[in-house]
Coordinates of all heavy atoms in Angstrom, one line a residue:
M15 N 0.9 -1.2 0.0 CA 0.0 0.0 0.0 C 0.9 1.2 0.0 O 1.9 1.3 0.7 CB -0.9 0.0 1.2 CG -1.6 1.2 1.5 SD -2.9 1.1 2.8 CE -2.2 0.0 4.0
G16 N 0.5 2.2 -0.8 CA 1.3 3.4 -0.8 C 1.1 4.2 0.4 O 0.1 4.1 1.2
L17 N 2.1 5.0 0.7 CA 2.1 5.9 1.9 C 0.9 6.8 1.8 O 0.3 7.1 2.9 CB 3.4 6.7 2.0 CG 3.7 7.4 3.2 CD1 3.7 6.4 4.4 CD2 5.1 8.0 3.1
M18 N 0.5 7.3 0.6 CA -0.6 8.2 0.5 C -1.9 7.5 0.8 O -2.8 8.1 1.5 CB -0.7 8.8 -0.9 CG 0.5 9.7 -1.2 SD 0.6 11.1 -0.1 CE -0.8 12.1 -0.6
D19 N -2.0 6.2 0.4 CA -3.3 5.5 0.7 C -3.4 5.3 2.2 O -4.5 5.4 2.8 CB -3.2 4.1 0.0 CG -3.4 4.2 -1.5 OD1 -4.1 5.2 -1.9 OD2 -2.9 3.3 -2.2
D20 N -2.3 4.9 2.9 CA -2.3 4.7 4.3 C -2.7 6.0 5.0 O -3.6 6.0 5.9 CB -0.9 4.3 4.8 CG -1.0 3.8 6.2 OD1 -2.0 3.2 6.6 OD2 0.1 3.9 6.9
A21 N -2.2 7.1 4.6 CA -2.5 8.4 5.2 C -4.0 8.7 5.0 O -4.7 9.2 5.9 CB -1.6 9.5 4.7
K22 N -4.5 8.5 3.8 CA -5.8 8.7 3.4 C -6.8 7.9 4.3 O -7.8 8.5 4.8 CB -6.1 8.4 2.0 CG -7.5 8.7 1.4 CD -7.5 8.5 -0.1 CE -8.8 7.8 -0.4 NZ -8.8 7.4 -1.8
H23 N -6.5 6.7 4.5 CA -7.3 5.8 5.4 C -7.3 6.3 6.8 O -8.3 6.3 7.5 CB -6.9 4.3 5.3 CG -7.0 3.8 3.9 ND1 -8.1 3.9 3.1 CD2 -6.2 3.0 3.2 CE1 -7.9 3.3 1.9 NE2 -6.7 2.8 2.0
N24 N -6.1 6.7 7.3 CA -6.0 7.2 8.7 C -6.8 8.5 8.8 O -7.5 8.7 9.9 CB -4.6 7.4 9.1 CG -3.8 6.1 9.3 OD1 -4.4 5.1 9.6 ND2 -2.5 6.2 9.1
I25 N -6.8 9.4 7.8 CA -7.6 10.6 7.9 C -9.1 10.3 7.9 O -9.9 10.9 8.7 CB -7.2 11.5 6.7 CG1 -5.8 12.1 6.9 CG2 -8.2 12.6 6.6 CD1 -5.3 12.8 5.7
E26 N -9.5 9.3 7.1 CA -10.9 8.9 7.0 C -11.3 8.4 8.4 O -12.4 8.6 8.9 CB -11.2 7.9 6.0 CG -11.1 8.4 4.6 CD -11.2 7.4 3.5 OE1 -11.2 6.2 3.8 OE2 -11.2 7.7 2.3
K27 N -10.5 7.6 9.0 CA -10.8 7.0 10.3 C -10.9 8.1 11.4 O -11.8 8.1 12.2 CB -9.8 5.9 10.7 CG -10.2 5.2 12.0 CD -9.3 4.0 12.2 CE -9.8 3.3 13.4 NZ -9.2 2.0 13.6
A28 N -10.0 9.0 11.3 CA -10.0 10.1 12.3 C -11.2 11.0 12.1 O -11.8 11.4 13.1 CB -8.7 11.0 12.1
A29 N -11.6 11.2 10.9 CA -12.9 11.9 10.7 C -14.1 11.2 11.2 O -15.0 11.8 11.8 CB -13.0 12.2 9.2
G30 N -14.1 9.9 11.1 CA -15.2 9.1 11.6 C -15.2 9.2 13.2 O -16.3 9.3 13.8
K31 N -14.0 9.1 13.8 CA -13.9 9.3 15.2 C -14.5 10.6 15.7 O -15.2 10.7 16.7 CB -12.5 9.0 15.7 CG -12.1 7.6 15.8 CD -10.7 7.5 16.4 CE -10.2 6.1 16.4 NZ -8.9 5.9 17.0
A32 N -14.1 11.6 15.0 CA -14.5 13.0 15.3 C -16.0 13.1 15.2 O -16.7 13.6 16.1 CB -13.8 14.0 14.4
K33 N -16.6 12.5 14.1 CA -18.0 12.6 13.9 C -18.7 11.8 15.1 O -19.7 12.3 15.6 CB -18.3 11.9 12.6 CG -19.7 12.2 12.1 CD -20.0 11.5 10.8 CE -19.4 12.2 9.6 NZ -19.8 11.6 8.3
E34 N -18.2 10.7 15.5 CA -18.8 9.9 16.6 C -18.7 10.7 17.9 O -19.7 10.7 18.6 CB -18.0 8.6 16.7 CG -18.6 7.7 17.8 CD -17.8 6.4 18.0 OE1 -16.8 6.2 17.3 OE2 -18.2 5.6 18.9
H35 N -17.6 11.3 18.1 CA -17.5 12.1 19.4 C -18.4 13.3 19.4 O -19.0 13.6 20.4 CB -16.0 12.6 19.6 CG -15.1 11.4 20.0 ND1 -15.3 10.7 21.2 CD2 -14.0 10.9 19.4 CE1 -14.3 9.8 21.2 NE2 -13.6 9.9 20.1
I36 N -18.6 14.0 18.3 CA -19.5 15.0 18.2 C -21.0 14.6 18.4 O -21.8 15.2 19.1 CB -19.4 15.8 16.8 CG1 -18.1 16.5 16.7 CG2 -20.6 16.8 16.6 CD1 -17.8 17.0 15.3
G37 N -21.3 13.4 17.9 CA -22.6 12.8 18.1 C -22.8 12.4 19.6 O -23.9 12.6 20.1
D38 N -21.7 12.0 20.2 CA -21.8 11.7 21.7 C -22.1 13.0 22.5 O -22.9 13.0 23.3 CB -20.4 11.1 22.2 CG -20.2 9.7 21.8 OD1 -21.2 9.0 21.5 OD2 -19.1 9.2 21.8
A39 N -21.4 14.0 22.1 CA -21.5 15.3 22.8 C -22.9 15.9 22.6 O -23.4 16.6 23.5 CB -20.4 16.3 22.4
T40 N -23.5 15.7 21.5 CA -24.8 16.3 21.2 C -25.9 15.4 21.3 O -27.1 15.7 20.9 CB -24.8 16.9 19.8 OG1 -24.5 15.9 18.8 CG2 -23.7 18.0 19.6
D41 N -25.7 14.2 21.8 CA -26.7 13.1 21.9 C -27.4 12.9 20.5 O -28.6 12.6 20.5 CB -27.8 13.5 22.9 CG -27.3 13.2 24.3 OD1 -26.4 12.4 24.5 OD2 -27.8 13.8 25.3
N42 N -26.6 12.9 19.5 CA -27.1 12.7 18.1 C -26.7 11.2 17.7 O -25.6 11.0 17.3 CB -26.6 13.7 17.2 CG -27.1 13.6 15.8 OD1 -27.6 12.5 15.4 ND2 -27.1 14.7 15.0
E43 N -27.7 10.3 17.9 CA -27.4 8.9 17.6 C -27.1 8.6 16.1 O -26.2 7.8 15.8 CB -28.5 8.0 18.1 CG -28.7 8.0 19.6 CD -29.9 7.2 20.1 OE1 -30.5 6.5 19.2 OE2 -30.1 7.1 21.3
N44 N -27.7 9.4 15.3 CA -27.4 9.2 13.8 C -26.0 9.6 13.5 O -25.3 8.9 12.7 CB -28.4 10.0 13.0 CG -29.8 9.5 13.0 OD1 -30.0 8.3 13.2 ND2 -30.7 10.4 12.8
L45 N -25.5 10.7 14.1 CA -24.1 11.1 13.9 C -23.1 10.1 14.5 O -22.1 9.9 13.9 CB -23.9 12.5 14.4 CG -22.7 13.3 14.0 CD1 -22.7 13.4 12.4 CD2 -22.6 14.7 14.6
Q46 N -23.5 9.6 15.6 CA -22.6 8.6 16.3 C -22.5 7.4 15.3 O -21.4 6.8 15.1 CB -23.2 8.1 17.6 CG -23.1 9.1 18.7 CD -23.9 8.6 19.9 OE1 -24.9 7.9 19.8 NE2 -23.5 9.1 21.1
A47 N -23.6 6.9 14.8 CA -23.6 5.8 13.9 C -22.8 6.0 12.6 O -22.1 5.2 12.2 CB -25.1 5.4 13.6
E48 N -23.0 7.2 12.1 CA -22.3 7.6 10.9 C -20.8 7.5 11.1 O -20.0 7.1 10.3 CB -22.7 9.0 10.4 CG -24.0 9.0 9.7 CD -24.3 10.5 9.2 OE1 -23.3 11.2 8.9 OE2 -25.5 10.8 9.2
G49 N -20.3 8.1 12.3 CA -19.0 8.0 12.6 C -18.4 6.6 12.7 O -17.3 6.3 12.2
K50 N -19.2 5.8 13.4 CA -18.7 4.3 13.5 C -18.6 3.7 12.1 O -17.7 3.0 11.8 CB -19.7 3.6 14.4 CG -19.5 4.0 15.9 CD -20.5 3.2 16.7 CE -20.4 3.7 18.2 NZ -21.4 3.1 19.1
I51 N -19.6 4.0 11.3 CA -19.6 3.4 9.9 C -18.4 3.9 9.1 O -17.7 3.1 8.4 CB -20.9 3.7 9.2 CG1 -22.1 2.9 9.8 CG2 -20.8 3.4 7.7 CD1 -23.5 3.4 9.4
D52 N -18.1 5.2 9.2 CA -16.9 5.8 8.6 C -15.6 5.1 9.0 O -14.8 4.8 8.2 CB -16.9 7.3 8.8 CG -17.9 8.0 8.1 OD1 -18.6 7.5 7.2 OD2 -18.1 9.3 8.4
Q53 N -15.5 4.8 10.3 CA -14.4 4.1 10.8 C -14.2 2.7 10.3 O -13.1 2.3 9.9 CB -14.4 4.1 12.3 CG -14.2 5.4 13.0 CD -14.4 5.4 14.5 OE1 -13.6 4.7 15.1 NE2 -15.4 6.0 15.0
V54 N -15.3 2.0 10.2 CA -15.3 0.6 9.7 C -15.0 0.6 8.2 O -14.2 -0.2 7.8 CB -16.7 -0.1 10.0 CG1 -16.8 -1.4 9.2 CG2 -16.9 -0.3 11.4
K55 N -15.5 1.6 7.5 CA -15.2 1.7 6.0 C -13.7 1.9 5.8 O -13.1 1.3 5.0 CB -16.0 2.8 5.4 CG -17.4 2.5 5.1 CD -18.1 3.7 4.4 CE -19.5 3.5 4.2 NZ -20.2 4.7 3.6
A56 N -13.1 2.8 6.6 CA -11.7 3.1 6.5 C -10.9 1.9 6.8 O -9.9 1.6 6.1 CB -11.3 4.3 7.4
D57 N -11.3 1.2 7.9 CA -10.5 -0.1 8.2 C -10.6 -1.1 7.1 O -9.7 -1.8 6.8 CB -11.0 -0.7 9.5 CG -10.7 0.2 10.8 OD1 -9.7 0.9 10.7 OD2 -11.3 0.0 11.8
A58 N -11.8 -1.2 6.5 CA -12.0 -2.2 5.5 C -11.2 -1.9 4.2 O -10.6 -2.7 3.6 CB -13.5 -2.3 5.1
K59 N -11.1 -0.6 3.9 CA -10.3 -0.1 2.8 C -8.8 -0.5 3.0 O -8.1 -0.9 2.1 CB -10.5 1.3 2.5 CG -11.8 1.7 1.9 CD -11.9 3.2 1.8 CE -13.2 3.7 1.3 NZ -13.3 5.2 1.2
K60 N -8.4 -0.2 4.3 CA -7.0 -0.5 4.6 C -6.7 -2.0 4.5 O -5.7 -2.4 3.9 CB -6.7 -0.1 6.0 CG -5.2 -0.2 6.4 CD -5.0 0.5 7.7 CE -3.6 0.6 8.1 NZ -2.6 -0.1 8.3
V61 N -7.6 -2.9 5.0 CA -7.4 -4.3 4.9 C -7.4 -4.7 3.4 O -6.6 -5.5 3.0 CB -8.5 -5.1 5.6 CG1 -8.5 -6.5 5.3 CG2 -8.4 -4.8 7.1
G62 N -8.3 -4.2 2.6 CA -8.4 -4.5 1.2 C -7.1 -4.1 0.5 O -6.6 -4.9 -0.3
D63 N -6.5 -3.0 0.8 CA -5.2 -2.6 0.2 C -4.1 -3.5 0.7 O -3.2 -3.8 -0.1 CB -4.9 -1.1 0.6 CG -5.7 -0.1 -0.2 OD1 -6.3 -0.5 -1.2 OD2 -5.7 1.1 0.2
D64 N -4.1 -3.9 1.9 CA -3.1 -4.8 2.5 C -3.2 -6.1 1.7 O -2.1 -6.7 1.4 CB -3.3 -5.0 4.0 CG -2.9 -3.8 4.8 OD1 -2.2 -2.9 4.2 OD2 -3.2 -3.8 6.0
V65 N -4.4 -6.7 1.5 CA -4.5 -7.9 0.8 C -4.1 -7.8 -0.6 O -3.4 -8.7 -1.2 CB -6.0 -8.4 0.9 CG1 -6.3 -9.6 -0.1 CG2 -6.4 -8.8 2.3
K66 N -4.4 -6.7 -1.3 CA -4.0 -6.5 -2.6 C -2.5 -6.4 -2.8 O -1.9 -7.0 -3.7 CB -4.7 -5.2 -3.2 CG -4.4 -4.9 -4.6 CD -5.1 -3.6 -5.1 CE -4.1 -2.5 -5.2 NZ -4.6 -1.3 -5.6
D67 N -1.9 -5.7 -1.8 CA -0.4 -5.6 -1.8 C 0.2 -7.0 -1.6 O 1.3 -7.2 -2.2 CB 0.0 -4.6 -0.7 CG -0.2 -3.2 -1.1 OD1 -0.5 -2.9 -2.3 OD2 -0.2 -2.3 -0.2
A68 N -0.4 -7.8 -0.8 CA 0.2 -9.1 -0.5 C 0.2 -10.0 -1.8 O 1.2 -10.7 -2.0 CB -0.6 -9.9 0.6
F69 N -0.8 -9.8 -2.7 CA -0.8 -10.6 -3.9 C 0.0 -10.0 -5.0 O 0.4 -10.6 -5.9 CB -2.3 -10.7 -4.4 CG -3.1 -11.8 -3.6 CD1 -4.0 -11.4 -2.7 CD2 -2.9 -13.1 -3.9 CE1 -4.7 -12.3 -2.0 CE2 -3.6 -14.1 -3.2 CZ -4.5 -13.7 -2.2
D70 N 0.3 -8.7 -4.8 CA 1.2 -8.0 -5.8 C 2.7 -8.4 -5.7 O 3.4 -8.2 -6.6 CB 1.1 -6.5 -5.7 CG -0.3 -6.0 -6.3 OD1 -0.9 -6.8 -7.1 OD2 -0.7 -4.9 -6.0
K71 N 3.0 -8.9 -4.5 CA 4.4 -9.3 -4.3 C 4.8 -10.5 -4.9 O 4.3 -11.4 -5.3 CB 4.7 -9.2 -2.8 CG 4.6 -7.9 -2.2 CD 5.0 -7.8 -0.8 CE 4.9 -6.4 -0.3 NZ 5.2 -6.2 1.1

């Protein structure tokens, strides 16, 4: 995985965490759920890239 892809996934995960924390602070369950979903998506993309890189070697 490229360094830029790794950074992009980390930024997406951080944005999801921020969204979740804002949802916690404002008692907005939808925003909390969106934040958790964003984090899971970022993790899934990272795993996908890792698997792809393993086969490219």
Side-chain angles (χ1 to χ4, degrees):
M15 169 172 35
L17 194 55
M18 293 302 289
D19 289 334
D20 192 32
K22 183 174 141 186
H23 299 314
N24 288 335
I25 290 169
E26 289 174 355
K27 187 169 183 171
K31 282 185 183 184
K33 196 182 281 189
E34 181 182 1
H35 289 297
I36 292 169
D38 286 338
T40 60
D41 282 336
N42 185 334
E43 292 178 3
N44 289 332
L45 196 57
Q46 289 172 331
E48 283 181 32
K50 289 178 184 179
I51 290 169
D52 289 349
Q53 291 175 63
V54 170
K55 284 181 183 179
D57 287 339
K59 288 178 186 178
K60 186 172 191 299
V61 168
D63 284 345
D64 290 345
V65 169
K66 186 176 102 177
D67 287 346
F69 283 103
D70 286 343
K71 291 183 180 181

